Every structure is written in structure tokens, then in C-alpha cells.
Amino acid sequence: MGLKRNVSLAKALRYKGQGPMLTYVLHRIGGLGMAIFVTIHILSTFMGTKVGIFTNSIYENWVFQIFLFFFVLFHVINGLRITLLDLFPTLIEHQREAIWVEWAVFLPVYGLAAFVILRTGLGG
Amino acid sequence: MATPTKSRTVPLTKRGLNFEMLMWLFTRLSALAMYALVLVAIIGALIMGARTQMNMADILRWGFMPNVTHVQNTNVPDLASWSSPFWKILASLMLLVAAAHGVHGLVVICDDYIVKPLGRQIVRYSSIVFMILMMLIGLYVIWTS
């Protein structure tokens, strides 16, 4: 049964999955978040200007964009890592190294985007 | 971690080739397809003059969905070339691939928590209805904006 776990929540939070576990959690949160974001975005644009302007005022807020770009870019870059390791399964031995490379790619790309968003958001 | 083991791979003939396996493969291949679409959109934006008229975050926003409404609030003076049929077709492709990829992702997440066959059946049928509905609404939004 999926919901009957043998570990308590406190123990689960202390689970030392380390790098791979962290990417799995962030990938899942990002994917779920994007599905909700895109659904609301399409529906509000479809329903017309009034609703569209209201949701866009949230989406164009710099605080929202900082979170959005984090999860979208992480999902995109982590997804490429998953795709490459899955399509070339012998590379899975180097999964931990691949995750380090992934962070080395993600941090500069996200850092630059976050810098631009912050500078624009804080009246630059 | 102490003893490194050689990773084993099952030969194709011994792998179960069913719908779930094909969707697993589709998730990976659609990810690569979306990478290609994003790259085309970003290169196209740079050719159309984004280098001096848009910041990096705006180019990424256009890259993820090349819809003309995504460049309305930038310094681009003429939006005509950004709303050509080429970009509408590219945006439609992005929408269809992303919707299929995303809805399948939601089904995978649901499978982690819904384990009864009936529940999984309901999730699958409702996800197909949801996906087709969102594709139609999205296409309408792209081609009328």
C-alpha cells in the first residue's frame, strides 16, 4: 500500500538520500508546480482579459519569478541528466559525478537569471 | 558505495515492451524534443534582435513558449516577426509535446499514492480527458493571440 509507510515522518525527513534524493524531490516538486502553473496560465488567458491580468500580476511579480525560474530550470537541467543516464544506462555508475556536473551547470544559469530578475524587480 | 558494481542492463529482447515502457521512453525523448524546440526559439529570438532588446529572463520565457504575448512587455519595437505562422506552429508543437509529457508525469506521481487498479484506471481516463481539453484550449489561445 502506497500510503502505509513503515517509517514516521520525522524519520523520513532525516533520511540521508543525499544528492540523488534531493534531485528527485526537487524534480517532482518542480514538475507538479509547472503542471499547476501552466494549467492556470492557459486557462486564465483563455477566460479573458480580467482574469488574465489578475494572474499575470502574480506571475510577473519578481518573488514569484525567482521561485518559478528555480523549479523550471532545475527540472529542465535535471531532466537532461536523467535522460542521458537512462538512454545510456552504463553511465549510471557515474550518477553522483553527473549530479555534481548538473549543479555546476544549474547554478550559473539560474544565478544569472535570478540576478536579472532581481535587478529588474528592484527597479533597475 | 564501498564495492563498486558494474551496472547491468537488460537486453532489448528480454525487456517488456508494453504501453508503460513506451511512455517511459516517450518521457525521455519528449524531453530531448523540448530541448530542441527551446534552442530553436532562443536562436530565433537572437536573430530577431533580442540581444539588445530583451534581458536573459525574457529570452528564457520566450524560449519555453514562443508566443507573442511573452514579448509584449519587453523593449522589442516591432512584434510582427514574433507572431509569424512559424512561431505559432513551433508554439503549438511545444504545447502538444509538453502537455503529453506533463500529464504523463502527473499520472506517474498519482501511481505512487493510488495503488488500487480501479483508482489507477480512473486516473488514466481522467488524465486523457484533461490532456485533450488543455491541448484544445492551448491551441485556441496560441492561434488567437
Side-chain angles (χ1 to χ4, degrees):
Chain A
M1 291 299 289
L3 286 177
K4 276 183 191 157
R5 296 193 179 91
N6 291 326
V7 289
S8 65
L9 181 66
K11 203 172 184 182
L13 287 176
R14 276 186 280 114
Y15 172 66
K16 290 193 178 69
Q18 296 174 332
M21 178 71 175
L22 182 66
T23 59
Y24 159 79
V25 169
L26 288 177
H27 196 81
R28 184 155 282 202
I29 296 173
L32 200 55
M34 253 194 284
I36 297 168
F37 165 75
V38 172
T39 305
I40 296 176
H41 193 37
I42 294 175
L43 285 179
S44 65
T45 320
F46 177 68
M47 282 192 292
T49 18
K50 233 180 180 177
V51 192
I53 287 170
F54 171 69
T55 52
N56 275 353
S57 68
I58 298 171
Y59 290 166
E60 285 174 3
N61 188 293
W62 65 268
V63 181
F64 184 86
Q65 294 221 329
I66 289 278
F67 281 99
L68 181 73
F69 269 82
F70 178 87
F71 285 115
V72 170
L73 284 176
F74 188 84
H75 195 89
V76 166
I77 290 168
N78 190 50
L80 185 63
R81 197 255 313 166
I82 294 174
T83 304
L84 289 178
L85 293 196
D86 277 355
L87 292 183
F88 304 99
T90 47
L91 290 177
I92 284 177
E93 281 164 44
H94 310 290
Q95 169 166 243
R96 275 164 198 275
E97 289 80 1
I99 288 173
W100 283 115
V101 175
E102 176 194 330
W103 282 110
V105 174
F106 170 77
L107 288 176
V109 175
Y110 176 64
L112 205 56
F115 172 72
V116 171
I117 293 166
L118 268 179
R119 203 183 50 181
T120 319
L122 300 177
Chain B
M1 279 306 289
T3 51
T5 49
K6 271 257 176 252
S7 54
R8 285 164 295 175
T9 53
V10 184
L12 250 178
T13 45
K14 284 184 181 170
R15 257 179 256 175
L17 198 69
N18 54 29
F19 179 72
E20 298 300 324
M21 191 273 175
L22 286 177
M23 282 312 289
W24 177 89
L25 191 62
F26 169 78
T27 308
R28 272 75 186 160
L29 295 182
S30 62
L32 289 180
M34 282 190 281
Y35 255 95
L37 291 171
V38 169
L39 279 178
V40 171
I42 289 178
I43 292 169
L46 292 172
I47 290 172
M48 290 188 292
R51 196 175 65 83
T52 52
Q53 294 152 349
M54 283 162 85
N55 64 40
M56 186 207 175
D58 284 331
I59 294 178
L60 282 179
R61 183 160 71 138
W62 162 267
F64 286 129
M65 175 44 76
N67 191 8
V68 67
T69 50
H70 282 169
V71 284
Q72 260 167 11
N73 295 336
T74 62
N75 296 326
V76 173
D78 182 25
L79 290 171
S81 59
W82 300 76
S83 58
S84 68
F86 174 76
W87 291 122
K88 289 207 189 298
I89 290 169
L90 207 78
S92 307
L93 278 176
M94 189 67 168
L95 170 81
L96 297 180
V97 175
H101 179 104
V103 169
H104 179 253
L106 292 179
V107 172
V108 169
I109 295 177
C110 286
D111 274 1
D112 277 359
Y113 302 98
I114 298 166
V115 288
K116 283 187 184 142
L118 178 67
R120 289 188 167 179
Q121 207 74 18
I122 293 170
V123 165
R124 271 159 179 72
Y125 283 124
S126 50
S127 76
I128 290 170
V129 173
F130 172 69
M131 183 180 77
I132 291 172
L133 207 65
M134 290 313 293
M135 282 175 171
L136 291 177
I137 295 174
L139 283 176
Y140 174 84
V141 168
I142 288 171
W143 287 89
T144 55
S145 66

